[in-house]
Amino acid sequence: MSEAAAIPSHVHVAFLPSSGMGHLLPFLRLAAALIRHRCSVTLITTHPIVSSAESQAISTFLSAFPQVTEKKFTLIPLDPTTADNNTTADPFFLQWETICRSAHLLSPLLSSSSPPLSFLVTDPTLMASVISVTKNLCLPNYILFTSSARMLSLFSFFPSIPPSIPKPSLPPPLLDSKSFFTRGFSENSKSIELFDGVLINSFEELEKQSLDMLLNKGLPPVFPLGPFLSLEFEGESCFAPLEWLENQRESSVLYVSFGSRTAMSEEQIRELGKGLVLSGYKFLWVVKSKVVDKKETGNDLAEILGHQVMNNNGFVVNQWVDQWRILSHKAVGGFMSHCGWNSVMEAAWNGVPVLGWPQHGDQMINGEVIEAAGWGLCVKTWGWGLNNHLVKGEEIGDKIKELMENQMVRIEAARISEAAKAGGSSENLTKLFQSLKKN
Ligand code: UDP
Ligand code: G50
């Protein structure tokens, strides 16, 4: 979204992201793009905030854009005994449920905005709870879908499953019709027709088939506005081993990260470390063994990994890194990823081939997008990170070699990056504003 789109004056947009960096970051990136197009922006922040990564991102965003109005939305504390075990086990799921249960209190916050709001952009996990509020206020409401168009096709037709999506690729909690996740997914999916449109961080060239399928299905219009670009301030005060990267050969390093909320078992971490060493490639590895961002100490790391990994070909970190900066570095030639959608889009923009190892949720479906477009591999035989299946280091090492030695994926990754940069997101933004005028 770099070129200026034709946008009417006095557009005031409010953003309501849900919890988790994978939800917050695309909201902040889209908000920044609209600010660049001279819109006024209100950011609704939900309190208490789950992780310090989220608090940090919100505060740096607000200092970078002092013209943004922050509306603090204090949530009604959720009595954990009224939520099921599945919800309370994951702090981010618990927060989704807490926001949903507080959503009826949003009304005064939205109606008191000045100048009056043109529309709200709502997180997909909050749709069913928020739509009645905006309908009462006659306020247009758009969804920012935080995953792939392929996942959106599953979401919007649920409980039907598009034939193009194999059952084993479904988010595992969807296999249990009574799970908290399935209930929310299903209610949110049903409410989609009440929305004015769906904004998505994707682009035609990457997901043409899924986007075409979503057209003419009686759904609200879908606006592919991606890839969303990282914001300058995101890298502030977070780590990137640039000096180390500068000393590596071009495309020689494998970057390894499983996103902001996937913790691996210590046993699996050890095998992964073994695999990285066995591959013989240089690696930059972000290790995470806790779901929320409590830092592991350096001692813990050495204890888990052993000194061979720590002192071998790699650079191991256990803190929040500037992923965009790493992926855009010329030394990085591969990305072992859980296929969280933001990571996938960041790899696409930067032309980095991906070795996908989906861990949960929508990640297998996102991995299939990469594989179909030919700029990476998605390993399905390793199973989901959630189960007890331990993937051995030898196998991991072999897959890494397969990716890093594959010239075809490298060529395709460069092609996808070019298509991403040439994409029509700015035209789609213009279409969005034209659709607003008709409301
Ligand atoms: N991220 C980052 N540094 C980290 C970990 C994650 O900048 O150390 C960013 C990453 O670039 C992406 C987001 O956090 O934009 C994670 O979202 P994604 O959808 O990839 O996965 P999730 O964390 O939601 O599983
Ligand atoms: C997070 C997650 C799992 C997961 C997804 C996440 C999505 C987004 C779609 O964002 O696929 C979505 C999920 C739930 C819902 C509505 C929409 O109620 O951990 O699959």
Side-chain angles (χ1 to χ4, degrees):
M1 270 179 297
S2 45
E3 302 148 42
I7 288 177
S9 52
H10 309 305
V11 173
H12 182 187
V13 189
F15 288 88
L16 177 60
S18 191
S19 69
M21 285 300 275
H23 290 248
L24 178 63
L25 277 178
F27 271 75
L28 298 182
R29 289 172 179 179
L30 179 62
L34 293 190
I35 293 167
R36 277 197 298 275
H37 287 97
R38 299 184 301 279
C39 293
S40 305
V41 163
T42 288
L43 178 67
I44 303 171
T45 54
T46 48
H47 298 263
I49 294 170
V50 176
S51 65
S52 61
E54 291 164 283
S55 311
Q56 174 87 20
I58 290 168
S59 67
T60 43
F61 174 82
L62 293 171
S63 352
F65 298 102
Q67 68 273 50
V68 170
T69 307
E70 181 193 17
K71 293 243 178 180
K72 291 192 178 179
F73 182 39
T74 306
L75 305 173
I76 309 167
L78 182 87
D79 174 0
T81 56
T82 66
D84 64 26
N85 288 341
N86 227 331
T87 319
T88 45
D90 183 316
F92 296 97
F93 281 5
L94 187 61
Q95 184 81 343
W96 296 0
E97 180 74 2
T98 310
I99 304 172
C100 285
R101 294 202 196 176
S102 300
H104 59 286
L105 302 176
L106 277 169
S107 196
L109 192 148
L110 295 170
S111 59
S112 64
S113 283
S114 173
L117 292 175
S118 313
F119 61 96
L120 175 68
V121 180
T122 302
D123 191 278
T125 62
L126 313 176
M127 289 164 62
S129 309
V130 173
I131 192 65
S132 45
V133 177
T134 49
K135 282 286 174 208
N136 271 335
L137 296 172
C138 296
L139 176 64
N141 196 342
Y142 289 76
I143 304 149
L144 169 53
F145 198 73
T146 46
S147 184
S148 53
R150 184 173 167 79
M151 186 64 194
L152 177 59
S153 70
L154 170 68
F155 177 69
S156 43
F157 300 121
F158 195 77
S160 299
I161 295 168
S164 54
I165 298 182
K167 207 163 172 210
S169 302
L170 296 180
L174 278 188
L175 300 176
D176 172 4
S177 62
K178 293 198 186 67
S179 72
F180 152 79
F181 186 86
T182 308
R183 234 183 317 119
F185 195 82
S186 174
E187 280 166 19
N188 292 328
S189 157
K190 267 188 240 149
S191 72
I192 195 169
E193 59 194 36
L194 301 171
F195 283 78
D196 295 274
V198 185
L199 320 180
I200 187 163
N201 180 15
S202 189
F203 58 105
E204 291 276 349
E205 295 76 1
L206 181 61
E207 291 204 272
K208 186 159 175 23
Q209 223 179 344
S210 302
L211 289 165
D212 283 350
M213 189 170 123
L214 290 161
L215 269 178
N216 310 319
K217 287 280 179 188
L219 292 173
V222 177
F223 300 92
L225 301 177
F228 292 174
L229 303 184
S230 156
L231 307 168
E232 206 42 47
F233 68 82
E234 282 178 30
E236 259 173 40
S237 73
C238 75
F239 181 75
L242 294 178
E243 220 171 283
W244 182 80
L245 282 171
E246 282 306 323
N247 286 322
Q248 310 304 326
R249 276 184 303 106
E250 193 167 331
S251 301
S252 67
V253 174
L254 179 77
Y255 167 59
V256 183
S257 170
F258 296 88
S260 64
R261 43 178 296 200
T262 301
M264 264 185 184
S265 68
E266 286 192 8
E267 214 182 0
Q268 187 61 78
I269 289 178
R270 243 178 263 120
E271 288 299 322
L272 175 50
K274 212 196 274 174
L276 289 167
V277 173
L278 284 173
S279 78
Y281 282 89
K282 296 268 178 138
F283 57 86
L284 167 51
W285 180 17
V286 186
V287 176
K288 195 165 161 50
S289 69
K290 308 233 166 48
V291 175
V292 182
D293 45 19
K294 292 184 192 76
K295 259 195 196 174
E296 287 98 318
T297 65
N299 276 345
D300 289 346
L301 261 186
E303 227 168 78
I304 299 173
L305 299 176
H307 290 280
Q308 200 203 353
V309 175
M310 298 293 279
N311 302 326
N312 205 278
N313 277 337
F315 198 110
V316 185
V317 289
N318 60 349
Q319 57 187 301
W320 192 261
V321 297
D322 186 350
Q323 176 162 304
W324 184 277
R325 207 156 199 191
I326 291 169
L327 286 173
S328 62
H329 199 284
K330 62 180 185 334
V332 174
F335 179 13
M336 183 188 268
S337 169
H338 69 316
C339 300
W341 189 243
N342 297 290
S343 293
V344 173
M345 290 304 284
E346 290 162 13
W349 176 271
N350 290 298
V352 181
V354 176
L355 176 56
W357 183 0
Q359 301 289 310
H360 55 86
D362 51 347
Q363 295 156 11
M364 193 78 80
I365 287 175
N366 299 340
E368 287 167 351
V369 175
I370 302 174
E371 223 173 28
W375 54 288
L377 317 171
C378 174
V379 196
K380 294 189 161 175
T381 49
W382 289 353
W384 296 93
L386 310 159
N387 57 26
N388 295 324
H389 176 71
L390 183 71
V391 184
K392 298 300 255 180
E394 289 75 9
E395 231 182 304
I396 298 173
D398 286 347
K399 273 287 168 203
I400 295 172
K401 281 191 242 169
E402 197 182 320
L403 179 87
M404 296 300 274
E405 286 160 11
N406 188 325
Q407 287 312 310
M408 275 318 289
V409 292
R410 209 162 291 288
I411 293 166
E412 285 305 316
R415 211 183 55 75
I416 282 292
S417 169
E418 258 175 49
K421 289 172 184 166
S425 60
S426 154
E427 276 161 48
N428 290 328
L429 197 57
T430 304
K431 283 190 201 150
L432 166 67
F433 284 99
Q434 281 163 349
S435 80
L436 255 189
K437 277 195 265 181
K438 285 187 221 134
N439 279 320

